[in-house]
Amino acid sequence: MTNKKENLKLLLSLGLAGVMVAILFWLISKVSSTLISPNPGQPSSIEFSNKPSIINLGTKILVKVQTYPEKRDAVKAFAEKNYSTAVEKFTASLKNNPNDPESLIYLNNAKIARDNSESLKVAVIAPVNFDQNLAEELLRGVAQAQNEVNERGGINGKKLQIVIASVENREDSQKLDKELVEDRSIVAAVGVRRDTEIYNDKGLVLVFPVERPNQAENPENTEQNVLNNQQNTVKNNYLFHINPLYDNLIDTHARYIARQGRNIAICGDIRNSGNNSNFSSSKILVEQYTQAIEQYGSKVISTSCNLADKNFDPKAFVDRAIETDNASGFLLIPSLRSINYATKVAQEIKGRKPLFGSETMYSAKTLENGRDVEGMVVPVFWHRDANKNNPFAENALELWKARVNQRTAGAYDAMQVIIAGLERDSTREGLQKALSNPDFSTSGATGNIMFSPSGKRQGEALLVKIERCERCSSGTNYDFVLLTRK
């Protein structure tokens, strides 16, 4: 009996000791993890985890189209701070795919890190996960500007470093804005944002490379859009627009349309705002065009046309518009995803009436069906022939081995504005003052750039017409030809 009691005491003692040892190890591990936790700023601890990346210098592949092994090796080397290898591998990747702007940006960033060069950091907000084509177009303009300025020695001796900001879901958009404005190493940003108040409040210059319809960007919150527009007039405005506002583009186009026809049929792409990532073809954009066309004396007929309707019948729409409502012209306003549906409407028109397309139609995708849309007139912010003495288009063709569009030109000019401003003052506040100075101007792909006190750029849009061509560089036998202004 005594032995049993002693054995029981021994077991209890051993158990208690084991629990105490386990607690001790647990406490040690907690203290150790607190003392030696990895630096959250280290690329390897962020970019190769499952955590969505928002700001990236070269340690994660965002644009995954045509990713070569050399690019994957380069990104890995960058994350491991083996910058010489990163430079070598990014260079090799660009030989395989010279049309990859992400690799060119990362290559320039890797060179800066390898050489331990002084640098100035600018962010480009790229909607990679929502509109990859747009993201690549913007990145090409930014990459071309970065490459050019760094090749000539940088900005007052400091190289230009580009950080790509991207989110994987819309819920993180505000987090992206907050992170950009709070990172004091970033002196400016390029991109399109819906909510811009934080950039004015926190004092970070944001340059818009492209324009979207102001209200159509956020149709469920028109009052907030009006408020944001009013904030552009504050004394210390940090928001600057490379192109004339979208209202100017609609006005120029509507004036031309009204001269060509008295009764205009409009075909839009009206989706529920919660499911539509491209609001430029929303109901509000159709309403803006309607108001502008009627302001110039023509009428928009009541025949309804919705490219987003799965039951939409192009032939029935065109026949009714012409035969019943006496349509004398057609305006197509598709989203990027529905350009093919707009083309089917054009097929039914078959040259019977004048044809017009929104700015969205200024796309290589449209030219793939050039026979169906021949004669269509489209408003644009930039065309390579608008200023033939400007070397941008030729340099872009040599760099990317392909033609670029107005979105790339806008991003390039956004960087030209920032570079010119940083040459005067490389601080956030100094850059804002430089761009707001009435004497500020710089030259870019879109011509001479200067801003009003509210950060807006004055001027009208251009008009282009789809025409057949022989041996044209589009590769489709059709091209956008600049119309002579009238």
Side-chain angles (χ1 to χ4, degrees):
M1 187 71 178
T2 302
N3 288 338
K4 289 183 179 181
K5 289 183 177 180
E6 290 178 352
N7 289 339
L8 182 59
K9 289 180 179 179
L10 179 61
L11 288 172
L12 289 173
S13 299
L14 290 173
L16 182 61
V19 171
M20 293 179 66
V21 170
I23 291 174
L24 180 62
F25 274 113
W26 179 79
L27 289 172
I28 291 173
S29 67
K30 290 292 288 183
V31 172
S32 299
S33 64
T34 301
L35 292 175
I36 61 174
S37 60
N39 184 343
Q42 292 292 332
S44 59
S45 68
I46 296 178
E47 309 299 348
F48 289 97
S49 71
N50 292 324
K51 181 179 178 181
S53 173
I54 289 182
I55 296 179
N56 179 43
L57 277 169
T59 56
K60 184 174 183 179
I61 296 174
L62 300 173
V63 181
K64 298 180 174 62
V65 177
Q66 290 186 320
T67 300
Y68 290 88
E70 291 85 354
K71 185 174 182 179
R72 288 192 289 269
D73 293 342
V75 165
K76 184 174 183 293
F78 199 116
E80 294 172 349
K81 299 185 178 182
N82 186 350
Y83 301 121
S84 294
T85 298
V87 169
E88 176 186 341
K89 295 296 183 179
F90 279 130
T91 301
S93 181
L94 281 166
K95 288 182 179 179
N96 292 325
N97 183 15
N99 198 27
D100 177 11
E102 184 180 46
S103 287
L104 183 57
I105 289 173
Y106 290 169
L107 171 61
N108 280 301
N109 290 344
K111 287 179 178 179
I112 292 171
R114 180 198 62 189
D115 301 337
N116 197 26
S117 303
E118 285 190 273
S119 62
L120 294 169
K121 186 187 294 183
V122 173
V124 54
I125 304 167
V128 176
N129 295 299
F130 310 108
D131 190 338
Q132 183 164 298
N133 287 333
L134 173 60
E136 289 188 90
E137 290 162 356
L138 298 181
L139 289 174
R140 286 190 187 100
V142 170
Q144 184 171 341
Q146 180 197 28
N147 200 54
E148 289 176 357
V149 71
N150 284 354
E151 283 187 349
R152 64 175 184 257
I155 303 168
N156 296 329
K158 295 182 179 180
K159 296 299 180 68
L160 180 60
Q161 188 180 56
I162 299 296
V163 57
I164 302 176
S166 177
V167 293
E168 295 184 1
N169 56 71
R170 298 192 184 282
E171 289 71 25
D172 284 339
S173 290
Q174 289 185 343
K175 182 179 178 183
L176 181 151
D177 296 325
K178 187 173 185 292
E179 188 163 339
L180 289 180
V181 299
E182 291 184 352
D183 185 343
R184 297 299 299 183
S185 69
I186 296 174
V187 294
V190 173
V192 178
R193 311 303 294 151
R194 292 193 202 172
D195 300 318
T196 56
E197 182 179 356
I198 191 172
Y199 291 88
N200 269 330
D201 287 348
K202 299 296 183 179
L204 177 65
V205 164
L206 174 64
V207 183
F208 291 77
V210 297
E211 291 300 322
R212 298 294 191 192
N214 292 333
Q215 293 180 338
E217 284 184 20
N218 196 357
E220 69 276 11
N221 194 1
T222 301
E223 292 183 1
Q224 183 61 44
N225 286 315
V226 173
L227 179 61
N228 286 343
N229 287 338
Q230 291 173 346
Q231 289 171 343
N232 272 27
T233 63
V234 297
K235 182 177 180 180
N236 293 326
N237 169 62
Y238 280 78
L239 310 176
F240 298 88
H241 298 261
I242 287 301
N243 294 310
L245 297 183
Y246 211 93
D247 290 348
N248 297 37
L249 182 143
I250 293 175
D251 183 78
T252 299
H253 198 202
R255 185 168 64 248
Y256 180 87
I257 292 172
R259 291 174 180 171
Q260 309 304 312
R262 307 308 299 174
N263 298 312
I264 307 299
I266 296 182
C267 212
D269 183 354
I270 304 170
R271 303 170 187 267
N272 293 328
S273 61
N275 299 322
N276 184 11
S277 62
N278 190 328
F279 292 105
S280 66
S281 300
S282 70
K283 179 180 179 181
I284 290 182
L285 180 55
V286 172
E287 291 175 350
Q288 288 177 323
Y289 256 109
T290 299
Q291 182 179 356
I293 290 171
E294 293 181 345
Q295 177 183 338
Y296 286 108
S298 289
K299 176 185 176 183
V300 173
I301 65 175
S302 60
T303 305
S304 62
C305 175
N306 184 7
L307 298 171
D309 185 350
K310 63 180 180 180
N311 298 317
F312 172 63
D313 184 343
K315 185 178 187 304
F317 160 70
V318 173
D319 288 345
R320 179 179 175 183
I322 294 176
E323 297 170 6
T324 303
D325 292 328
N326 196 29
S328 54
F330 287 81
L331 171 60
L332 308 181
I333 311 178
S335 65
L336 289 172
R337 76 178 85 178
S338 62
I339 287 178
N340 286 336
Y341 293 107
T343 302
K344 291 180 180 180
V345 176
Q347 288 175 350
E348 297 298 330
I349 297 171
K350 298 176 182 177
R352 289 183 286 173
K353 301 293 178 181
L355 184 61
F356 314 98
S358 66
E359 177 258 348
T360 308
M361 298 293 286
Y362 190 40
S363 166
K365 189 174 183 180
T366 302
L367 297 179
E368 293 173 3
N369 301 291
R371 180 189 303 177
D372 299 318
V373 293
E374 185 175 1
M376 175 184 283
V377 175
V378 177
V380 300
F381 290 112
W382 173 83
H383 188 274
R384 63 187 179 278
D385 292 334
N387 185 358
K388 292 187 177 181
N389 295 325
N390 192 299
F392 165 75
E394 184 177 342
N395 292 342
L397 179 60
E398 181 179 353
L399 178 63
W400 305 115
K401 311 305 178 188
R403 290 198 325 186
V404 295
N405 60 22
Q406 64 180 353
R407 289 171 279 278
T408 296
Y412 177 85
D413 277 5
M415 291 303 304
Q416 296 307 310
V417 163
I418 291 171
I419 290 168
L422 291 175
E423 287 175 344
R424 298 188 181 190
D425 194 313
S426 61
T427 66
R428 284 187 174 188
E429 297 77 11
L431 175 60
Q432 187 275 334
K433 290 179 180 178
L435 301 188
S436 300
N437 191 315
D439 294 331
F440 174 83
S441 69
T442 191
S443 179
T446 59
N448 191 54
I449 306 169
M450 55 193 309
F451 302 107
S452 69
S454 63
K456 298 175 183 177
R457 187 177 177 187
Q458 302 302 314
E460 291 188 346
L462 306 171
L463 297 176
V464 297
K465 187 175 185 178
I466 298 177
E467 295 183 357
R468 184 172 178 80
C469 57
E470 298 294 336
R471 301 176 183 176
C472 47
S473 57
S474 68
T476 64
N477 292 326
Y478 290 89
D479 206 350
F480 295 100
V481 178
L482 185 66
L483 287 182
T484 303
R485 294 185 182 181
K486 297 180 180 180

